[in-house]
Amino acid sequence: MKEKLVVIVGPTAVGKTKMGIELSKRLDGEVISGDSMQVYKRMDIGTAKVTKEEMEGIPHHLIDIKEPDEPFSVAEFQSLVQPLISLLNKKGKLPFIVGGTGLYINSVIHNFNFAEMSTDLPFREEMEQFVKEHGVDQLHHKLKDVDPVSYATIHPNNYRRVIRALEVIKRTGKTLSEYQQSQNEEAPYDFVFVGLTMDRDQLYERINKRVDIMIDQGLFEEAKRLYDQGIRGCQSVQAIGYKEIYDYIEGKVTREEAIELLKRNSRRYAKRQFTWFRNKANVHWFDMTNTNFNKKITEIQQFIEGKLYNYSEIN
């Protein structure tokens, strides 16, 4: 029998964290963070990292495992998550991957073979130098004609992902999505793919409010501490929420402009997350617009039980 797994995805601010915790409480599960930024220590506010109080006793994995100046790749994510899924299944726990980083999640449920394509270090170094000389936006523009899907779904600030997409084209002649599709063999897990969605205007309002709360909680101060510690030019601080404030710290924008850019970039990120997941045929979507949260939890719980368990197993 295949190991069981539940994946909860959706755009930022839609309510994935709370949903993952509540479902874990009901279904004897543990949460694996599927967010590529919550691995970093001391980056709590800007990544909307779940607090100990919010966890309500549910164990969370892959949070605070990296220093902010360390790289973190999709291949490393896969190598950490797959043994963890096995361990939780052996313990009789139901693993919940909760997050919005589509490539990372797909690498696990479709078991991408990263060893198949070796790294082209000279090309990566060439592209890193290009970024230093011309900036992330010009690098991102290189994708527009050769890989429009990656161009639309990868943020320019995530320049290492952009370089990886360009590297895949150079090494294989395929776009990143074509290369991934070629590896989409039968999933190694008996898994349920739950997607949370919401009316766009309501979601954007939630995103704007979340940014205001982050500011009140001390996001500018958190970013300034990282900046003063010399955490600059790293993968971690290219993320939305830090890049904008770093620009403010360096005098490139005003405080008000940084906040508006953060809200705008967060909304655009949510749109890219929709773009990534909406074409995935195996995602079952649940609308969170103006919904009774407890009723929705019950609906999703029953859906998961119906997909993963026989009636005799849950009674």
Side-chain angles (χ1 to χ4, degrees), residues 18 21-22 25 50-60:
K18 185 177 179 182
I21 291 168
E22 291 301 323
K25 285 159 64 176
V50 62
T51 65
K52 288 291 183 185
E53 293 75 20
E54 290 169 339
M55 289 179 189
E56 297 188 39
I58 297 298
H60 280 60

Side-chain angles (χ1 to χ4, degrees), residues 240-297:
I240 297 170
Y242 297 95
K243 177 69 164 59
E244 297 84 357
I245 296 178
Y246 269 40
D247 284 346
Y248 161 71
I249 293 170
E250 294 174 352
K252 297 175 183 177
V253 296
T254 66
R255 181 183 174 94
E256 292 73 23
E257 287 170 339
I259 294 170
E260 285 308 308
L261 282 170
L262 175 48
K263 290 180 178 179
R264 185 201 71 182
N265 291 340
S266 296
R267 294 191 300 267
R268 289 181 175 178
Y269 178 56
K271 185 177 180 181
R272 285 195 301 277
Q273 288 174 307
F274 269 130
T275 300
W276 178 275
F277 289 116
R278 69 185 176 190
N279 294 322
K280 305 298 179 186
N282 53 359
V283 179
H284 190 93
W285 292 98
F286 293 85
D287 192 350
M288 304 298 292
T289 307
N290 298 321
T291 190
N292 180 306
F293 193 78
N294 286 329
K295 286 185 178 179
K296 190 63 67 171
I297 294 170

Side-chain angles (χ1 to χ4, degrees), residues 105-310:
I105 292 169
N106 268 2
S107 76
V108 172
I109 62 176
H110 293 299
N111 199 25
F112 291 167
N113 182 3
F114 293 100
E116 195 174 274
M117 193 188 78
S118 58
T119 301
D120 188 336
L121 286 177
F123 178 78
R124 289 193 180 185
E125 290 170 0
E126 179 187 340
M127 292 298 100
E128 293 269 1
Q129 187 60 38
F130 183 91
V131 170
K132 291 178 182 177
E133 295 176 3
H134 303 285
V136 293
D137 288 328
Q138 287 299 312
L139 177 76
H140 186 243
H141 194 74
K142 285 177 173 285
L143 281 175
K144 190 170 186 179
D145 293 328
V146 295
D147 188 351
V149 173
S150 292
Y151 176 78
T153 56
I154 301 176
H155 192 277
N157 289 347
N158 198 345
Y159 68 91
R160 286 189 171 86
R161 285 270 309 280
V162 175
I163 291 174
R164 181 60 172 171
L166 291 168
E167 183 185 14
V168 168
I169 293 169
K170 181 174 182 292
R171 300 285 288 188
T172 69
K174 298 177 181 178
T175 66
L176 187 59
S177 58
E178 288 170 344
Y179 179 70
Q180 292 165 3
Q181 191 64 37
S182 70
Q183 299 192 68
N184 277 3
E185 302 171 356
E186 183 183 356
Y189 304 107
D190 181 11
F191 75 97
V192 179
F193 215 148
V194 172
L196 305 185
T197 186
M198 183 177 285
D199 170 77
R200 188 160 294 183
D201 288 340
Q202 185 175 334
L203 178 67
Y204 285 178
E205 184 179 335
R206 285 170 62 95
I207 289 171
N208 291 339
K209 185 177 180 181
R210 173 185 271 193
V211 170
D212 289 334
I213 291 171
M214 286 177 171
I215 301 303
D216 291 342
Q217 289 175 334
L219 178 57
F220 274 81
E221 292 76 11
E222 179 176 89
K224 183 65 162 59
R225 284 194 296 273
L226 293 166
Y227 188 89
D228 290 344
Q229 291 166 6
I231 309 299
R232 306 173 197 176
C234 306
Q235 176 182 343
S236 61
V237 292
Q238 294 297 319
I240 297 170
Y242 297 95
K243 177 69 164 59
E244 297 84 357
I245 296 178
Y246 269 40
D247 284 346
Y248 161 71
I249 293 170
E250 294 174 352
K252 297 175 183 177
V253 296
T254 66
R255 181 183 174 94
E256 292 73 23
E257 287 170 339
I259 294 170
E260 285 308 308
L261 282 170
L262 175 48
K263 290 180 178 179
R264 185 201 71 182
N265 291 340
S266 296
R267 294 191 300 267
R268 289 181 175 178
Y269 178 56
K271 185 177 180 181
R272 285 195 301 277
Q273 288 174 307
F274 269 130
T275 300
W276 178 275
F277 289 116
R278 69 185 176 190
N279 294 322
K280 305 298 179 186
N282 53 359
V283 179
H284 190 93
W285 292 98
F286 293 85
D287 192 350
M288 304 298 292
T289 307
N290 298 321
T291 190
N292 180 306
F293 193 78
N294 286 329
K295 286 185 178 179
K296 190 63 67 171
I297 294 170
T298 299
E299 180 186 348
I300 297 174
Q301 176 188 349
Q302 291 172 347
F303 172 76
I304 292 170
E305 288 174 335
K307 289 288 186 179
L308 289 185
Y309 303 106
N310 295 322

Side-chain angles (χ1 to χ4, degrees), residues 17 20-21 30-33 50 54-55 58-63:
T17 298
I21 291 168
E30 297 188 11
V31 172
I32 301 170
S33 172
V50 62
E54 290 169 339
M55 289 179 189
I58 297 298
H60 280 60
H61 305 272
L62 263 63
I63 292 177

